[in-house]
Amino acid sequence: MQTSNCLISPARRKKLEAQGFIGYSDKELASRTFGIRFAPALCSLFIATGVTFASIPLLSFVAITALFGVILPYHPFDYLYNATVRHWLNKAPVGPNTPQRRFACGLATLWLAGVIGLFYAHLFMLGYILGAILASVALLVATTDFCIPSAIYNFLFRRTKAIA
């Protein structure tokens, strides 16, 4: 009986490909999954902390970080991961941001600006609710690889195949 050498489940591969991580073998993708989850995990942590304390400076830091995730080839936390963490874990580097990831960072930037505005206006309950939702969306990516903004991007910008 032959066993499969599959290092990543088809369901997980589908979620990662929905984030734009396509063209990797199972082994390559498995080696990158921790790194792919690293930035969303840190973002979730910082957002949750910033929301808990209604910290405009911390939320501003995360918003600027997300904005750089749109502008730069890599998310700022990917630079940290690629330069240090991956060497400790003996993992492959995270590749450049995909269009889906840039879109997610853009949405996060706008959402964070809204939460910051709510806290600035002393609308704390609404700020806590919307901030908690955003932290949960980032945590969902970090724990399950399911990215709601990537699903939105793929729905809005999917290209139809030409019929030949």
Side-chain angles (χ1 to χ4, degrees):
M1 182 170 157
Q2 189 175 8
T3 59
S4 173
N5 288 334
C6 183
L7 299 170
I8 193 161
S9 73
R12 190 170 193 193
R13 172 177 279 286
K14 185 175 178 180
K15 291 175 192 174
L16 292 167
E17 287 179 347
Q19 292 182 50
F21 298 101
I22 55 175
Y24 294 103
S25 70
D26 282 351
K27 184 177 180 180
E28 290 169 327
L29 200 54
S31 181
R32 286 172 169 75
T33 54
F34 184 85
I36 292 169
R37 290 178 168 193
F38 183 78
L42 279 183
C43 289
S44 180
L45 174 68
F46 287 135
I47 293 167
T49 304
V51 168
T52 299
F53 296 106
S55 172
I56 291 174
L58 181 55
L59 292 171
S60 297
F61 164 76
V62 182
I64 291 167
T65 302
L67 179 61
F68 282 137
V70 175
I71 298 168
L72 297 174
Y74 296 83
H75 187 284
F77 295 149
D78 290 342
Y79 287 108
L80 173 66
Y81 177 82
N82 285 339
T84 59
V85 177
R86 78 175 188 90
H87 297 291
W88 301 333
L89 301 175
N90 197 28
K91 298 286 186 183
V94 175
N97 278 342
T98 63
Q100 291 88 339
R101 204 167 198 208
R102 288 181 189 282
F103 181 79
C105 288
L107 284 180
T109 301
L110 296 174
W111 198 316
L112 283 162
V115 171
I116 290 165
L118 291 168
F119 285 146
Y120 184 78
H122 300 284
L123 298 170
F124 292 101
M125 187 56 67
L126 193 52
Y128 289 133
I129 292 168
L130 292 178
I133 291 169
L134 181 59
S136 298
V137 169
L139 185 62
L140 186 66
V141 179
T143 57
T144 69
D145 294 315
F146 180 69
C147 181
I148 294 170
S150 290
I152 294 168
Y153 176 91
N154 292 332
F155 175 78
L156 292 174
F157 302 107
R158 67 178 171 209
R159 294 194 162 76
T160 57
K161 294 180 181 178
I163 300 173

